Amino acid sequence: MQLEMDIEDWPPPASDWADWEALATRAAEAVAAIEPALANPRLTVSLLFTSDAEVHALNREWRERDKPTNVLSFPMLERVDLVHLDPEEGLPEMLGDIALAHETCVREAAEKGISLEHHAAHLIVHGLLHLAGHDHVKSDEDAEKMEAMEIAALAKLAIADPYGDRT
């Protein structure tokens, strides 16, 4: 999977591009290790580090929810198409877009007593799993499965269980 990243309205000191690019790459590699569909080299994901205002506008326009949120995912492939995508033949395929909201990420990290980098890594993993067709809203079973995948991916990054209820 290739990441196309853009950073806007992500103020210093958090705007050191090399650090955020490396963090996102590590998070993508970790989640691809536990979700094989994301390991396809033909996949491309657009990742935007931006402001609450921009995520709020995107949420209102595309999800009809007039509020900011920490991360938005916009899948462009159905799960069935993703899992059957030939990794060897064909042009690159856009899996989807992810946008992270700076102010919300900073506030949530502070509330959880964790670093912004660890929280952002969790949200990138979370967003990538959504792009891969995983959900946590439809059922408790789906939520538990997605959380377990997030915990496993974050463990590969030496990041503690963000839900705090598993060993």
Side-chain angles (χ1 to χ4, degrees):
M1 170 181 17
Q2 299 296 314
L3 297 176
E4 295 177 356
M5 292 177 257
D6 193 14
I7 190 165
E8 57 184 50
D9 297 326
W10 201 267
S15 61
D16 184 347
W17 177 246
D19 291 345
W20 289 104
E21 184 174 27
L23 176 75
T25 299
R26 288 192 315 273
E29 290 169 352
V31 74
I34 58 99
E35 169 45 285
L38 291 173
N40 192 318
R42 288 182 53 204
L43 294 175
T44 301
V45 172
S46 170
L47 177 58
L48 175 63
F49 294 89
T50 192
S51 66
D52 275 19
E54 179 64 21
V55 169
H56 185 166
L58 291 168
N59 206 19
R60 183 176 50 241
E61 179 178 352
W62 295 101
R63 298 257 163 88
E64 298 180 357
R65 295 181 182 155
D66 194 14
K67 61 181 183 177
T69 189
N70 52 14
V71 62
L72 288 173
S73 299
F74 299 98
M76 294 182 190
L77 284 178
E78 295 291 328
R79 172 99 181 140
V80 67
D81 296 326
L82 173 62
V83 297
H84 290 102
L85 186 65
D86 185 336
E88 304 294 325
E89 287 188 34
L91 297 172
E93 288 281 344
M94 179 57 82
L95 179 60
D97 302 313
I98 298 172
L100 272 71
H102 182 262
E103 297 90 343
T104 297
C105 290
V106 168
R107 185 184 72 253
E108 289 175 349
E111 289 168 358
K112 295 173 183 280
I114 62 174
S115 71
L116 175 59
E117 292 80 6
H118 283 189
H119 190 50
H122 175 210
L123 294 174
I124 293 166
V125 165
H126 183 87
L128 287 168
L129 287 171
H130 273 305
L131 293 185
H134 297 282
D135 199 355
H136 54 86
V137 177
K138 294 178 186 174
S139 73
D140 288 343
E141 183 180 323
D142 288 346
E144 288 175 16
K145 180 181 176 186
M146 187 168 169
E147 286 178 10
M149 294 174 83
E150 291 173 28
I151 292 164
L154 293 171
K156 292 184 172 300
L157 299 169
I159 296 175
D161 174 356
Y163 301 101
D165 59 355
R166 294 184 173 71
T167 57

